[in-house]
Amino acid sequence: MVGHSGFDDYFEVPGGDDFVDITELVVAGARDMEPEEVLLMDGFTLMDAMSAFEIGEPRLDSGMILEEQRRPPFDPLTPLLPEEVCWILDRSFACEMEWHAGKTLSQSVFTLLFVHHLPDINPEYLPPVEHDDPARPQWLITVVVRAAMLGLLKCCDLAWRELSKNRVNDVEDWQGEKCDVSLLEGINAEIVSRILDNACDWLRRSHFSEEQVTALCDRLLLRKITLQLYRADLLNNPSQSQTDAAIALALLHKIRTTQQSPPPPNSPALLAMDPYIARRLPNFMPIRVTELPPQEKIWEALEGFLGYWQEVGKLVTSPSLLKWEAAGSLQFALCRSVAPPYHRSLVQSLFFDRNLVLGAHPTIWLVNNFFQETIGISYESIRHALERSAPQPQLASMQDIIERRISQLMVPHVRSSWYNPPRRRRHLMKEVLQWHMLYNMLLNDVDEHRPPDDATANILRVIPQAAQLWRLSATREVIISGFQQELYAPEEKPIAYWYLACVCDAHLECIEEVLPLIPQDTPAYRELSYQAEHLAALQMISTALVTLTAGYITSPWRRISLNFVRRYKWLFNPDFERLVPAHPIPDLRSFPNALKDLLLDELYSPFASLELARNILLRLAESPHEWLGYWETDRKEYLRKMAEGCDRLKRIAPANLRELPNFDLSSLEWRPEVHPWMPTSNP
């Protein structure tokens, strides 16, 4: 029936119908196999085969090549023009940036086919060419392209080594699968750097025009300097990396202003990119074919990538917990795009590695700076105060426990600012309990002491509050991050703002208790003074938003209660019950009365609250924050953005609560890219 001419048009088989029956061949081969013996292709295990039937493994179809996917065979020695080589070098940066953006190597770097043919373009293994085309000499491939490919792979190797330290998470933050392709792990980076230099020397002696030589050399030099940045000893020579990053950015700007035109459709350079290469590589992940972005997008990504090295250099020259805390938290507060996984891993490694902080300080440095920068009192003074007030000779073991607990808390806390946002939020949730346990420990230890004078008594009073300040700050960040990650349902938002206001109140009370006891000439005093005004503005904004969003609460109270317990389960940990109360306690039963009292306050004005908060924020933005150094500018930008958010809300906020029933809830819109936790007025 299939052979009937009337049915030919309905039975078109992909690839044609000239198949050969191999049934007898398979049967004959099976006779030679033992029972339960299985033949598997390289890189495909029995588990893979079983999974294919369960989940529809995409790799089963990887060998199928559609007509539009057919490509001519790739010859790595096909002659190329200098302009075509420039395009290939540009796309090598595209491949690298896409890997750092989260794609697999088989979707990015390995799609550049020259990386699979390095032995074939090694000039030491090739005979001399007798009739070489002067416009397309083979040396362009064997010297220039080869040097660039070696530089690309070595950069990926050095990045892979940092990324594999488990500071960031494979598959979640980056893709580490190498597909059995070498990243030049056994070749010294200095050798690759010299090969890049030799390629530039050859170009300068070539017959190409000055414009062509400059274009090619600029790209090779950019690769060389990028390689130097990966190799840089940031802890011992941060100034060199700053200089290299500045040079790389200048080269990038020059390349962008003299950008080359893409090759024509019939150019052999286009065959150097094969997005379907993954079907020929051993993969454990499903194959997904993706396109590389336009080159201008790549240059923007590379500019940001190089810029992060400059900020990392500023961080390692800033041995201050306040500065590291500001640098980490402000990137979330300003809604900036998350740094590439490589730099997030690098920052974490630089901060603490091999039991040293910033490569030079023992862990006691963390304890000293924790107290000095939080409450303005040195750890030495605290130890003396504890020794003078101890009722009996104090056991050193208690101090060791406190020191160890602070060190174990501070290292992951600082590092958490360079986690991805969801992981950072989960870490802070767990950290809230750890800070409260430290507070409870310090409180119990201090209560056993009898201070001989007022100065010692003041030091003892303020010691536990250091941990309390960090706990309340972490709690605030968890609540705010819920808005930034768009976790809250509409009816959860007024409750979140209410609890945020409660946390700000408790934080303000803690600061008011501590501030008079802190030396006024310390960065801790200036930071806490700033935080007092900042939290006051934050509390006013949160309270105003409780009134504006109260109309979202329409579900039954039982439903709201269940959601509340799930959302704030990190505060309902049974371990809290063994400790002193962690105020403010998240008691949803107090919310209805608090909301009722607020809505019945005839003197309360959401508009006036937002106006006052705006004025406080603008005044803070005009004040100096010199103790933050480089990140003073970022803090002022954060304050101005929050003031702008108040301005947007003022346009729609009622002047008093009598006008609240007429408030249109649809005028509120949460857009994290505009502000992480404040709504904007919907035009």
Coordinates of all heavy atoms in Angstrom, one line a residue, residues 492-527:
E492 N -0.6 39.4 51.8 CA 0.6 39.3 52.7 C 1.3 40.6 52.9 O 2.1 40.8 53.8 CB 1.5 38.2 52.3 CG 1.0 36.8 52.4 CD 2.0 35.7 51.9 OE1 2.3 35.6 50.7 OE2 2.6 35.1 52.8
K493 N 1.1 41.5 51.9 CA 1.9 42.7 51.9 C 1.7 43.6 53.1 O 2.6 44.1 53.7 CB 1.7 43.4 50.6 CG 2.4 42.7 49.4 CD 2.1 43.3 48.0 CE 2.7 42.5 46.9 NZ 2.4 43.0 45.6
P494 N 0.4 43.9 53.4 CA 0.2 44.8 54.6 C 0.8 44.1 55.9 O 1.3 44.9 56.8 CB -1.3 44.9 54.7 CG -1.9 43.8 53.9 CD -0.9 43.6 52.8
I495 N 0.8 42.8 56.0 CA 1.3 42.2 57.2 C 2.8 42.3 57.2 O 3.5 42.5 58.2 CB 0.9 40.7 57.3 CG1 -0.6 40.6 57.4 CG2 1.5 40.0 58.4 CD1 -1.2 39.2 57.3
A496 N 3.4 42.1 56.0 CA 4.9 42.3 55.9 C 5.3 43.7 56.3 O 6.3 43.9 57.0 CB 5.3 41.9 54.5
Y497 N 4.6 44.7 55.8 CA 4.9 46.1 56.1 C 4.8 46.3 57.6 O 5.5 47.0 58.2 CB 4.1 47.0 55.3 CG 4.5 47.2 53.9 CD1 3.6 47.0 52.8 CD2 5.8 47.5 53.5 CE1 4.0 47.1 51.5 CE2 6.2 47.6 52.2 CZ 5.3 47.4 51.2 OH 5.7 47.5 49.9
W498 N 3.7 45.7 58.2 CA 3.5 45.9 59.6 C 4.6 45.3 60.4 O 5.2 45.9 61.4 CB 2.2 45.2 60.0 CG 2.0 45.0 61.5 CD1 1.8 45.9 62.5 CD2 2.1 43.7 62.2 NE1 1.7 45.3 63.7 CE2 1.9 43.9 63.5 CE3 2.3 42.4 61.7 CZ2 1.9 42.9 64.5 CZ3 2.4 41.4 62.7 CH2 2.2 41.6 64.0
Y499 N 5.1 44.1 60.1 CA 6.1 43.5 60.8 C 7.5 44.2 60.6 O 8.3 44.3 61.5 CB 6.3 42.0 60.5 CG 7.2 41.2 61.4 CD1 7.0 41.2 62.8 CD2 8.3 40.6 60.9 CE1 7.8 40.6 63.6 CE2 9.2 40.0 61.8 CZ 9.0 39.9 63.1 OH 9.8 39.3 64.0
L500 N 7.7 44.7 59.4 CA 8.8 45.5 59.1 C 8.9 46.8 60.0 O 9.9 47.1 60.5 CB 8.9 45.9 57.6 CG 10.0 46.8 57.2 CD1 11.4 46.1 57.4 CD2 9.9 47.2 55.7
A501 N 7.7 47.4 60.2 CA 7.7 48.6 61.0 C 8.0 48.2 62.5 O 8.7 48.9 63.2 CB 6.3 49.2 61.0
C502 N 7.5 47.0 62.9 CA 7.8 46.5 64.3 C 9.3 46.3 64.4 O 9.9 46.6 65.5 CB 7.0 45.2 64.5 SG 5.2 45.4 64.6
V503 N 9.9 45.7 63.4 CA 11.4 45.4 63.5 C 12.1 46.7 63.6 O 13.1 46.9 64.3 CB 11.8 44.6 62.3 CG1 13.3 44.5 62.2 CG2 11.2 43.2 62.4
C504 N 11.7 47.7 62.8 CA 12.4 49.0 62.8 C 12.2 49.7 64.2 O 13.2 50.3 64.7 CB 11.8 49.9 61.7 SG 12.2 49.4 60.0
D505 N 11.1 49.5 64.8 CA 10.9 50.1 66.1 C 11.8 49.4 67.1 O 12.5 50.1 67.9 CB 9.4 49.8 66.6 CG 8.5 50.9 66.0 OD1 8.9 52.0 65.7 OD2 7.2 50.6 66.0
A506 N 11.9 48.1 67.1 CA 12.8 47.4 68.0 C 14.3 47.8 67.8 O 15.1 47.9 68.7 CB 12.6 45.9 67.9
H507 N 14.6 47.9 66.5 CA 16.0 48.3 66.2 C 16.3 49.7 66.7 O 17.4 50.0 67.2 CB 16.1 48.2 64.6 CG 17.6 48.0 64.2 ND1 17.9 47.5 63.0 CD2 18.7 48.2 64.8 CE1 19.2 47.5 62.8 NE2 19.7 47.9 64.0
L508 N 15.3 50.6 66.5 CA 15.5 52.0 67.0 C 15.7 52.0 68.5 O 16.6 52.7 69.1 CB 14.3 52.8 66.6 CG 14.4 53.5 65.2 CD1 13.0 54.1 64.9 CD2 15.4 54.6 65.2
E509 N 14.9 51.2 69.2 CA 15.0 51.1 70.7 C 16.4 50.6 71.1 O 17.0 51.1 72.1 CB 13.9 50.2 71.3 CG 12.5 50.8 71.2 CD 11.5 49.8 71.7 OE1 11.9 48.8 72.2 OE2 10.3 50.1 71.5
C510 N 16.9 49.6 70.4 CA 18.2 49.1 70.7 C 19.3 50.1 70.5 O 20.2 50.3 71.3 CB 18.5 47.8 69.8 SG 20.0 46.9 70.2
I511 N 19.2 50.9 69.4 CA 20.2 51.9 69.1 C 20.1 53.0 70.1 O 21.2 53.5 70.6 CB 20.0 52.5 67.7 CG1 20.3 51.4 66.6 CG2 20.8 53.7 67.4 CD1 20.1 51.8 65.2
E512 N 18.9 53.4 70.5 CA 18.8 54.5 71.5 C 19.4 54.0 72.9 O 19.9 54.9 73.6 CB 17.3 54.8 71.7 CG 16.7 55.6 70.5 CD 15.2 55.7 70.6 OE1 14.6 55.2 71.6 OE2 14.6 56.3 69.7
E513 N 19.3 52.7 73.2 CA 19.9 52.2 74.4 C 21.4 52.2 74.3 O 22.1 52.5 75.3 CB 19.4 50.8 74.7 CG 19.9 50.2 76.0 CD 19.4 48.8 76.2 OE1 18.4 48.4 75.6 OE2 19.9 48.1 77.1
V514 N 22.0 51.9 73.1 CA 23.4 51.7 73.0 C 24.1 53.0 72.7 O 25.2 53.2 73.2 CB 23.7 50.7 71.8 CG1 25.1 50.7 71.4 CG2 23.2 49.3 72.2
L515 N 23.5 53.9 71.9 CA 24.2 55.1 71.4 C 24.9 55.9 72.5 O 26.0 56.4 72.3 CB 23.3 55.9 70.5 CG 23.9 56.8 69.5 CD1 24.9 56.1 68.6 CD2 22.9 57.6 68.7
P516 N 24.2 56.2 73.6 CA 24.9 57.1 74.6 C 26.1 56.4 75.3 O 26.9 57.1 75.9 CB 23.8 57.2 75.7 CG 22.5 56.9 75.0 CD 22.8 55.9 74.0
L517 N 26.3 55.1 75.1 CA 27.4 54.4 75.7 C 28.6 54.2 74.8 O 29.6 53.7 75.2 CB 26.9 53.1 76.2 CG 25.7 53.1 77.1 CD1 25.3 51.6 77.5 CD2 25.9 53.9 78.4
I518 N 28.5 54.8 73.5 CA 29.5 54.5 72.5 C 30.3 55.8 72.4 O 29.8 56.9 72.3 CB 28.9 54.2 71.2 CG1 28.2 52.8 71.3 CG2 29.9 54.1 70.1 CD1 27.5 52.4 70.0
P519 N 31.7 55.7 72.3 CA 32.5 56.9 72.1 C 32.1 57.6 70.8 O 31.9 57.0 69.7 CB 33.9 56.3 72.0 CG 33.8 55.0 72.7 CD 32.5 54.5 72.5
Q520 N 32.0 58.9 70.9 CA 31.4 59.7 69.8 C 32.4 59.9 68.6 O 32.0 60.3 67.5 CB 30.9 61.1 70.2 CG 29.8 60.9 71.2 CD 29.2 62.3 71.6 OE1 29.4 63.3 70.9 NE2 28.3 62.3 72.6
D521 N 33.7 59.6 68.9 CA 34.7 59.8 67.8 C 35.0 58.5 67.0 O 36.0 58.4 66.4 CB 36.0 60.4 68.4 CG 36.5 59.4 69.5 OD1 35.8 58.5 70.0 OD2 37.7 59.6 69.9
T522 N 34.0 57.6 67.1 CA 34.3 56.3 66.4 C 33.3 56.2 65.2 O 32.2 56.7 65.1 CB 34.0 55.1 67.3 OG1 32.6 55.2 67.8 CG2 34.9 55.2 68.5
P523 N 33.7 55.4 64.2 CA 32.8 55.1 63.0 C 31.6 54.4 63.5 O 30.5 54.6 62.9 CB 33.7 54.2 62.1 CG 35.1 54.5 62.5 CD 35.1 54.8 63.9
A524 N 31.6 53.6 64.6 CA 30.4 52.9 65.0 C 29.4 53.9 65.5 O 28.2 53.8 65.2 CB 30.8 52.0 66.2
Y525 N 29.8 55.0 66.2 CA 28.8 56.0 66.6 C 28.2 56.7 65.4 O 27.0 56.9 65.4 CB 29.5 57.0 67.5 CG 28.6 58.1 68.1 CD1 28.0 57.8 69.3 CD2 28.4 59.3 67.4 CE1 27.1 58.8 69.8 CE2 27.5 60.2 67.9 CZ 26.9 60.0 69.2 OH 26.0 60.9 69.7
R526 N 29.0 57.1 64.4 CA 28.5 57.7 63.3 C 27.5 56.8 62.5 O 26.5 57.3 62.0 CB 29.6 58.2 62.4 CG 30.5 59.3 63.1 CD 31.4 60.0 62.1 NE 32.5 59.1 61.6 CZ 33.6 59.0 62.3 NH1 33.8 59.7 63.4 NH2 34.6 58.2 61.8
E527 N 27.9 55.5 62.4 CA 27.0 54.6 61.6 C 25.7 54.4 62.4 O 24.7 54.4 61.7 CB 27.8 53.3 61.5 CG 27.0 52.2 60.8 CD 26.6 52.4 59.3 OE1 27.2 53.4 58.7 OE2 25.7 51.8 58.8

